[in-house]
Amino acid sequence: MEADNFEFLNRDSAPCTVVFKWTGAYAGFFNNDRLFDKSGRYLGWRDSSGAVWKYDGEWLGRVMEENYLARDLRALSQKRPPPVPPVPARPPTPPTPRVARPPWPNCCDPLEALLRVPVLEELIGEWRSQDESLRLSEDGSFHWTTVESTTNAVGRWELRGQELLLCWESVEEPERTYWVIEFSGDSLLLRWMRKTGRSLPFRLHRRAAQPDVGADESQAA
């Protein structure tokens, strides 16, 4: 097997093809036409035509030059019924980064958005779903409320790479780690990595800052 083709054996001795971002950074790998990130998390799959689909069925783009993905900015959004996700894969030894290069004309790199990791400052603010609200404050405190509960959860938070650590006060399991599956700037897809298992993913959306009505009224006066 030629190393120049960037095909490797993972730690289970199964052949896989590594994938790079157009920046040259190692992003993940294909194993049996399933796409995983560099830590082995399932991202999606590719079909026989070379089209790549996200784990939820959304179209990501196409395989280009064997080791890259590109999404045509002129193409309409598509979606397919997603297959049953596989178990996480054991990744191969990370390859050497490549030289950065621009994507193909009229294309973008879909892995840039899919693998975006937030920085601490981007998480400060209020995040909401239909059933709950999470406020992450600049001083490291958090406030979590749910529709079904009259009790407000409070504590401390910190960001460790893709792990959002919440240290709850006065609960049985105080340290709770949430894996950041996706981050777009305005939405946050999380999974609670419990000691006895893991939760289903849940999505929170950033609440837009509310206008200061009092300030507007004083200016009008």
Side-chain angles (χ1 to χ4, degrees), residues 104-194:
W104 282 29
N106 300 312
C107 292
C108 69
D109 186 346
L111 294 176
E112 288 292 346
L114 184 60
L115 299 178
R116 180 181 173 186
V117 177
V119 297
L120 186 146
E121 291 77 11
E122 292 179 305
L123 294 184
I124 294 172
E126 186 170 357
W127 300 86
R128 286 191 168 189
S129 69
Q130 186 175 355
D131 303 319
E132 54 200 342
S133 172
L134 172 63
R135 175 173 289 279
L136 300 173
S137 300
E138 189 174 0
D139 62 4
S141 63
F142 77 85
H143 186 187
W144 197 323
T145 59
T146 63
V147 173
E148 299 178 354
S149 175
T150 57
T151 303
N152 295 331
V154 296
R156 309 291 298 175
W157 73 279
E158 61 179 288
L159 183 66
R160 299 176 179 175
Q162 280 188 262
E163 293 183 344
L164 175 63
L165 179 64
L166 302 184
C167 297
W168 297 52
E169 295 181 1
S170 304
V171 294
E172 183 177 350
E173 189 177 335
E175 290 193 359
R176 305 188 181 191
T177 300
Y178 295 83
W179 185 258
V180 180
I181 300 175
E182 276 187 43
F183 175 73
S184 67
D186 293 321
S187 72
L188 188 61
L189 185 64
L190 300 172
R191 185 194 297 274
W192 179 14
M193 308 304 290
R194 304 190 63 173

Side-chain angles (χ1 to χ4, degrees), residues 31-84:
N31 188 353
N32 294 325
D33 289 326
R34 291 164 176 167
L35 177 62
F36 299 88
D37 72 4
K38 59 185 178 182
S39 65
R41 176 171 62 93
Y42 175 62
L43 298 177
W45 78 98
R46 65 179 171 187
D47 61 24
S48 58
S49 70
V52 182
W53 306 83
K54 190 178 162 185
Y55 58 84
D56 62 0
E58 178 186 347
W59 177 66
L60 279 178
R62 299 190 63 82
V63 176
M64 296 291 188
E65 301 179 19
E66 188 175 1
N67 303 110
Y68 298 90
L69 302 186
R71 182 185 180 104
D72 191 333
L73 297 172
R74 301 163 297 180
L76 298 176
S77 179
Q78 306 173 52
K79 198 154 189 176
R80 283 189 175 182
V84 176

